[in-house]
Amino acid sequence: MSKLKLAVVIGSTRETRFGPKPAKWIADLAAQRPEFDVEIVDLKDFDLPLFNEAASNAWAPSKDPRAVAWQKKIGEFDAYVVVAAEYNHSVTGSLKNAFDQAYVEWARKPIGFVGYGGVGAARAIEHARNIAVELQMVPVRSATHIAGGDFFAVWQGGKEISEIEGSIGASAKSLLDELAWWGAATKAARAQG
């Protein structure tokens, strides 16, 4: 089977966001593995409007060309890692909107999460997993949480993420292992129709 196309989605669009650092880190780790072709997908590059279609694209084609461009991009991939921030104990508004702008393209594909912040975006990731289930995705069990002192050491302390890999490396390996397994399984099932 050909390599799995893996999108690493940066789930925040704020100017001062931390997301690009862990996105690059997990993308670099995934790119070292033979199972994946990896691309970072930044929500900031898509200028998505707030969802305002007649219905989900599972029921009616989207009309806004920005939504259609997002759907085409997301549809290119076999698996996803979402780099998640936590705003007010949940997902960012931009990430929820990005989920809502597509449906068909997400379905029957695995998704995992790298979260960051005081509690490693644990609550946001739990909410995102529920959203993913509704989109007929396969949320994998393992996630990587960059939390507490590790988060602050990188965010404000000048450390690189590679310097805290002792704390988060094993969870990242598990996350990528599970995405590889589920990605191969779901890709094979989709190929069979």
Side-chain angles (χ1 to χ4, degrees):
M1 183 179 290
S2 61
K3 286 187 171 192
L4 298 168
K5 290 194 72 180
L6 175 67
V8 175
V9 179
I10 302 174
S12 172
T13 57
R14 289 176 57 221
E15 291 300 321
T16 59
R17 66 197 172 147
F18 179 76
K21 280 188 176 190
K24 182 179 182 332
W25 171 76
I26 196 70
D28 288 347
L29 286 180
Q32 295 171 20
R33 298 176 60 122
E35 303 99 331
F36 299 119
D37 279 329
V38 183
E39 181 178 339
I40 293 176
V41 177
D42 191 341
L43 291 183
K44 282 183 78 155
D45 294 338
F46 288 87
D47 188 31
L48 285 171
L50 288 176
F51 180 74
N52 192 27
E53 299 291 338
S56 160
N57 75 337
W59 307 108
S62 297
K63 299 209 188 282
D64 192 302
R66 296 169 294 178
V68 173
W70 173 248
Q71 293 161 6
K72 281 186 165 183
K73 177 47 97 178
I74 286 305
E76 294 175 9
F77 299 99
D78 301 305
Y80 309 90
V81 172
V82 171
V83 177
E86 183 169 309
Y87 294 177
N88 299 315
H89 290 205
S90 192
V91 298
T92 64
S94 57
L95 179 58
K96 177 61 167 80
N97 188 51
F99 279 132
D100 291 343
Q101 295 285 355
Y103 188 99
V104 175
E105 297 76 14
W106 296 116
R108 297 183 172 89
K109 297 176 184 178
I111 186 169
F113 298 91
V114 173
Y116 59 89
V119 296
R123 296 165 292 218
I125 290 170
E126 286 305 306
H127 291 173
R129 284 181 170 136
N130 286 332
I131 295 164
V133 167
E134 179 57 28
L135 293 170
Q136 298 187 50
M137 299 183 81
V138 181
V140 300
R141 178 189 173 279
S142 294
T144 301
H145 300 277
I146 304 170
D150 284 335
F151 169 67
F152 289 104
V154 177
W155 180 44
Q156 294 180 330
K159 285 191 174 185
E160 295 298 320
I161 292 181
S162 60
E163 295 179 74
I164 61 165
E165 274 189 30
S167 299
I168 61 174
S171 65
K173 180 185 181 315
S174 293
L175 167 63
L176 294 173
D177 287 347
E178 292 168 24
L179 282 171
W181 193 95
W182 282 105
T186 57
K187 185 175 182 178
R190 288 192 318 275
Q192 292 177 358

